Amino acid sequence: MAALPTDRLGFLLSFRGELTSARIRSALGVAGLHPRNAMTLMRLAPAPMSQRELAAAMEVDPSQLVAILNELEEAGLAERRRDPADRRRHIVEITEAGAAVLDRVDQAVGEAERELFADLTEAEQTLLRGLLDRVVVDPAAHECGE
């Protein structure tokens, strides 16, 4: 007997991904953050970095990053400053308020993940993470050997 089209792995991954995305967005809503803003704060949490490095790390166009940083600065969650060693370069840093918001986000996302993965053991979660890391999301990059 043939599998139902809804049993196809890509469809299942897409459907579960949408449900997971909705749950994570809800968790981010605790702090009133858009996912891209939360991801930016997460990237900045370990240490300040240049605006160019941040755009590359987040894989976003620099103009998109400017809009994100404008929102974060307006909310007092991040700040840009000129690099004293190179006045053309901006260093981006999370603020104390940004770190506090990120703590709330981390708690909310942690709770969401506990709910989402409650039926998986630690070993299964580790396996799932490894399998998802191997899913090819950019076939062109895969063909080029990247």
Side-chain angles (χ1 to χ4, degrees):
M1 182 196 298
L4 294 173
T6 55
D7 289 338
R8 297 187 64 91
L9 191 54
F11 179 81
L12 289 171
L13 186 58
S14 176
F15 181 70
R16 295 290 185 208
E18 287 179 18
L19 294 173
T20 300
S21 178
R23 184 62 184 94
I24 296 300
R25 284 179 185 272
S26 175
L28 294 175
V30 166
L33 287 180
H34 185 280
R36 67 185 187 172
N37 294 18
M39 289 301 296
T40 304
L41 291 177
M42 289 175 197
R43 290 283 184 177
L44 292 172
M49 64 176 67
S50 75
Q51 198 164 313
R52 179 173 290 166
E53 292 168 331
L54 183 58
M58 294 184 59
E59 299 177 4
V60 298
D61 185 84
S63 64
Q64 288 178 310
L65 181 62
V66 167
I68 294 168
L69 292 176
N70 287 345
E71 291 172 10
L72 290 172
E73 276 191 314
E74 190 174 299
L77 305 178
E79 62 184 17
R80 286 175 279 201
R81 57 182 161 74
R82 296 264 183 211
D83 183 344
D86 182 351
R87 302 289 300 158
R88 295 168 297 175
R89 193 172 110 144
H90 282 93
I91 301 296
V92 186
E93 187 170 18
I94 192 170
T95 63
E96 285 185 34
V101 165
L102 198 52
D103 284 342
R104 288 197 343 252
V105 164
D106 189 53
Q107 290 174 17
V109 170
E111 178 60 30
E113 287 180 339
R114 282 188 290 284
E115 292 171 5
L116 286 164
F117 306 115
D119 290 341
L120 299 179
T121 65
E122 287 294 323
E124 289 170 330
Q125 290 179 42
T126 299
L127 177 61
L128 178 58
R129 184 174 285 108
L131 292 171
L132 289 173
D133 283 345
R134 293 174 39 205
V135 172
V136 177
V137 293
D138 183 358
H142 187 64
E143 290 171 6
C144 295
E146 291 183 11

